Amino acid sequence: MNEIKTKRLRQADIATMAGVSISTVSRVLANEPGISESVRQHILKVAAENGYSARTANGALRGSLALIASDGVTGGLSVFYEGIVEGLRAGALDAGVPFEVRLIRENRATPDVVHEYMQTAGAGGLFLVGIDPSAELCAWLEDAAIPTVLVNGTDPQLRLDGASPSNFFGAYEATTRLLNAGHRQILHLTGSHRNTIRERVRGFRAAIAEVEGAQGRLVSMTFQGSAIHEAHELTAAVLAENAGFTAAFCMNDFIAVGVLEAVTEAGLRVPDDFAIVGFDDLPCALMTNPPLSTMRVDRVALGREAVGLMVARFKDRAAPARQICHAVVPIAGGTVPHS
């Protein structure tokens, strides 16, 4: 076994270790039909564990690793990323792609660290979930020609493939719901360095700009501690100004919960006196009174779309990068009047 690992593995080596014929290994690595799923997964596992990275017949790397921003998994957003991982796993299984998941702090996602993670996992492709790669990491990924897909992320220069919710259009729609309900002074509670969140700010501003007399105010959050608590305190401070704001579009549903609590404590009726729209359609949206009006992100679909991008990138390394923008759907809830 050690001897085999010291040289470049051949399909014959994988066949010996897996206890199957060379033709079976060849068909599995070429992703051909007619092989039982249990045999297919066994061969892919043996290939990945022995550093072969499940090369297909044409040499495309098939093993993949998802690095998830642990910064985002904390603070209550774990359910958001669980849905994405579910979609990644399901898509990888359907495509016959060996797949592993690891958490990493975004500021640790340097070329050296990412390279080490990939070597340990025997991966040839990389999913960056909730991570906007630094210029240094982008340059390394390009130079090393590593198939990379941003999941719940976008590359402003479109150097890397990506799958994300329609953040601009979703925010535009969310704000329009409030404008259509007659609100003209609307808050947007937000705060992030991420490109996806900047797109939501753009959507908010675009919707406000289209309605004469409408005024929008960005309320910046630091996310130091509980997002719900911070949103509560910031909203209470704005309401104390008596500046006339009667609605809020929130970056996510946890923030919307905090806004709802502050508005209710101020003695305002929701949605009659103050309307609220969240984003993501997390489970907490159904737990408030009234339930939150929000925008649904199909997180499982995002994961599956990302796998499709990865498979296409394996097949054609030189193809122009693509960004898939997945529509978000308005959820009625009870914090915006029904039209």
Side-chain angles (χ1 to χ4, degrees):
M1 183 74 68
N2 289 336
E3 257 183 41
I4 292 175
K5 282 192 174 183
T6 59
K7 62 181 181 180
R8 180 175 177 179
L9 290 176
R10 300 167 301 157
Q11 291 186 6
D13 300 322
I14 301 299
T16 299
M17 289 183 282
V20 298
S21 68
I22 297 175
S23 64
T24 300
V25 171
S26 178
R27 290 172 63 194
V28 167
L29 298 183
N31 202 27
E32 293 180 4
I35 304 293
S36 73
E37 192 56 31
S38 61
V39 172
R40 182 183 302 277
Q41 292 304 317
H42 172 60
I43 291 171
L44 292 173
K45 183 172 184 287
V46 169
E49 286 177 348
N50 288 276
Y52 190 82
S53 298
R55 292 178 181 267
T56 59
N58 63 4
L61 292 166
R62 299 302 304 276
S64 59
L65 172 69
L67 292 181
I68 301 180
S70 59
D71 319 57
V73 173
T74 57
L77 284 176
S78 59
V79 65
F80 185 92
Y81 287 100
E82 285 170 8
I84 289 178
V85 171
E86 180 185 341
L88 286 169
R89 288 194 187 283
L93 181 62
D94 289 347
V97 178
F99 175 74
E100 292 191 35
V101 181
R102 297 287 186 275
L103 293 177
I104 186 173
R105 291 194 65 82
E106 187 165 11
N107 62 10
R108 290 198 67 239
T110 62
D112 287 346
V113 172
V114 171
H115 184 236
E116 182 181 347
Y117 270 81
M118 293 187 69
Q119 281 196 316
T120 301
L126 180 66
F127 296 102
L128 294 176
V129 185
I131 295 174
D132 290 337
S134 65
E136 180 189 25
L137 181 56
C138 270
W140 176 74
L141 292 169
E142 282 191 289
D143 290 344
I146 294 173
T148 304
V149 179
L150 305 182
V151 192
N152 191 39
T154 59
D155 175 11
Q157 298 182 45
L158 203 56
R159 295 159 296 181
L160 303 173
D161 296 317
S164 68
S166 53
N167 290 293
F168 174 87
F169 298 106
Y172 183 95
E173 170 69 15
T175 308
T176 298
R177 293 171 70 180
L178 297 170
L179 291 165
N180 288 344
H183 297 277
R184 291 298 178 267
Q185 289 184 269
I186 303 172
L187 304 171
H188 179 36
L189 283 83
T190 187
S192 173
H193 66 285
R194 299 214 60 223
N195 296 320
T196 52
I197 303 308
R198 292 191 189 115
E199 286 295 292
R200 294 183 192 179
V201 172
R202 279 207 318 119
F204 170 73
R205 285 175 167 160
I208 293 291
E210 287 199 0
V211 176
E212 186 177 353
Q215 177 188 359
R217 181 198 287 186
L218 297 185
V219 180
S220 297
M221 299 187 61
T222 65
F223 297 100
Q224 301 297 314
S226 165
I228 294 177
H229 177 73
E230 185 181 5
H232 176 282
E233 296 302 303
L234 289 170
T235 304
V238 172
L239 294 176
E241 296 175 8
N242 291 317
F245 287 93
T246 61
F249 162 48
C250 303
M251 186 185 96
N252 64 41
D253 291 333
F254 288 111
I255 294 171
V257 170
V259 172
L260 178 59
E261 290 179 352
V263 169
T264 303
E265 288 178 13
L268 299 174
R269 296 170 302 163
V270 177
D272 300 319
D273 302 324
F274 198 99
I276 304 165
V277 178
F279 207 98
D280 292 338
D281 192 29
L282 300 175
C284 65
L286 290 173
M287 301 177 189
T288 59
N289 184 26
L292 287 176
S293 302
T294 186
M295 306 295 295
R296 175 171 293 163
V297 173
D298 190 335
R299 302 177 289 278
V300 174
L302 279 184
R304 283 187 171 276
E305 295 276 21
V307 173
L309 286 170
M310 182 66 75
V311 170
R313 180 57 55 191
F314 280 146
K315 291 178 179 177
D316 187 353
R317 306 296 183 94
R322 291 188 296 156
Q323 178 70 39
I324 292 179
C325 188
H326 211 278
V328 297
V329 181
I331 301 299
T335 56
V336 174
H338 298 296
S339 57

